Amino acid sequence: MSEVRIVAEPRTEFGKGGARRTRRAGKVPAVLYGHGQPPRHIALSQRELLHAFKTDAGTNVLLTVDLGDGTELALPKDVQRHPIKGSFEHVDLVIVRRGEKVTVDVPVNITGELHPDAILEQPNTTVSVSAPATAIPDSLTVDITGMGPGSHLTAGQLGLPEGVALEGDPETIIALALPKPTAAQHEAGLGETGEAAESTGEAVPAESE
């Protein structure tokens, strides 16, 4: 997995006003806690944090937090972003130790091609796994090659790296092969769309001759 070093500064201003001033300085308010340690209020560089989250691990990146008086290994627990700007508003970091196991959500990637008569639906794009803190998989991959209409793959069928265990229901559906709509079904769907538009007074595009 990805491991990134990031420098933290102590944060002495609290409340909404203090948080705003921290953000205006290009920093992200954060709290580091866990393993019996008292919570430490810190500020992280917005730019460095963005760089860290751009690794393949995403927000499961393992951070070596440089505190000035030492370092701590930590995993992002809760990442809050601005709904419009996308900038980081606040981050909770949980201290971890090498060798211990943690539970995280890992993305699932789909590879391969379905049977020509099927179309893909992916009800769940992540699964919860237990893994060593220093060996969290960036992602898991499932091959859908040849899956025909009506077939599916579950979380329990995912290939997991050594030392990684599935958490939650193994029957959770990850990939589902649905029957491809027939021409008649497609036309019926278009007809229903047209009828709905007419009933609401919306213009229905005329068919070209």
Side-chain angles (χ1 to χ4, degrees):
M1 68 171 295
S2 301
E3 186 172 332
V4 177
R5 189 179 189 88
I6 190 167
V7 176
E9 297 177 0
R11 187 159 53 95
T12 56
E13 288 189 301
F14 307 101
K16 292 183 178 180
R20 280 195 296 268
R21 284 187 286 274
T22 298
R23 296 185 193 106
R24 279 200 297 268
K27 307 291 183 179
V28 182
V31 177
L32 176 71
Y33 62 92
H35 275 276
Q37 302 283 346
R40 297 185 67 161
H41 297 272
I42 56 177
L44 307 173
S45 163
Q46 182 88 225
R47 181 179 56 81
E48 289 184 10
L49 197 60
L50 179 62
H51 172 74
F53 288 161
K54 280 187 174 180
T55 65
D56 291 338
T59 55
N60 284 335
V61 62
L62 183 63
L63 298 174
T64 299
V65 184
D66 187 343
L67 298 162
D69 58 353
T71 62
E72 291 283 7
L73 282 178
L75 284 171
K77 180 68 174 178
D78 182 45
V79 179
Q80 298 175 18
R81 304 191 72 158
H82 191 281
I84 298 175
K85 298 177 182 178
S87 56
F88 300 108
E89 295 279 283
H90 189 274
V91 179
D92 284 353
L93 301 175
V94 177
I95 297 171
V96 296
R97 298 286 184 250
R98 296 187 186 277
E100 78 170 305
K101 284 200 169 186
V102 295
T103 299
V104 295
D105 290 336
V106 175
V108 179
N109 297 326
I110 301 292
T111 187
E113 295 185 4
L114 293 172
H115 185 279
D117 294 332
I119 58 175
L120 175 67
E121 181 174 316
Q122 190 177 2
N124 294 281
T125 58
T126 64
V127 292
S128 181
V129 300
S130 172
T134 55
I136 300 171
D138 293 338
S139 63
L140 300 172
T141 300
V142 59
D143 189 353
I144 60 170
T145 299
M147 282 177 56
S151 57
H152 65 271
L153 289 172
T154 65
Q157 294 174 285
L158 291 170
L160 301 177
E162 184 177 354
V164 177
L166 182 69
E167 296 287 333
D169 187 358
E171 296 302 316
T172 299
I173 295 177
I174 300 299
L176 179 63
L178 300 175
K180 187 174 289 186
T182 64
Q185 289 172 328
H186 184 65
E187 290 178 3
L190 290 178
E192 290 175 0
T193 302
E195 290 173 4
E198 288 179 356
S199 67
T200 57
E202 297 178 1
V204 180
E207 295 184 1
S208 59
E209 295 182 358

